[in-house]
């Protein structure tokens, strides 16, 4: 992949931002699992399955974006 340094920096920043946002949502869901109900949403009618699904999806996206941000950082540092 032949990309310029500004493109690599932008990629790193985007992946890092995604990791930060999804990390915050993961922590929010762990600490206050009923935050969906506070927004007026109740897809699971109070049984907690929606919160567990949101936690699983957000945690996977967080881990993936963290790994991808690390790879972008390594490419940026070695270039």
């Amino acid at each position: 992949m032949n990309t310029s340094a500004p493109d690599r920096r932008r990629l790193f920043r985007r992946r890092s931002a995604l990791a930060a946002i999804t990390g915050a949502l993961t922590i929010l869901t762990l600490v206050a699992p009923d935050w969906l109900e506070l927004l007026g949403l109740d897809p699971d009618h109070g049984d907690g399955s929606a919160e567990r699904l949101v936690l699983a999806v957000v945690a996977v996206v967080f881990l993936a974006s963290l790994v991808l941000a690390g790879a972008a950082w390594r490419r940026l540092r070695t270039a």
Side-chain angles (χ1 to χ4, degrees), residues 1-78:
M1 179 185 232
N2 191 8
T3 57
S4 66
D7 290 338
R8 287 190 294 265
R9 273 192 232 93
R10 190 175 14 251
L11 182 64
F12 170 70
R13 283 193 299 264
R14 287 180 181 168
R15 289 177 177 176
S16 297
L18 181 61
I21 291 167
T22 55
L25 282 174
T26 300
I27 291 170
L28 175 66
T29 306
L30 284 171
V31 172
D34 58 348
W35 66 269
L36 284 173
E37 281 84 7
L38 296 176
L39 296 175
L41 303 172
D42 192 16
D44 58 4
H45 304 292
D47 75 356
S49 60
E51 287 83 357
R52 287 189 297 274
L53 178 63
V54 167
L55 177 62
V57 168
V58 171
V60 167
V61 172
F62 167 65
L63 292 174
S65 61
L66 199 61
V67 168
L68 291 172
W73 175 257
R74 284 189 296 279
R75 276 196 306 275
L76 185 61
R77 302 312 306 162
T78 59

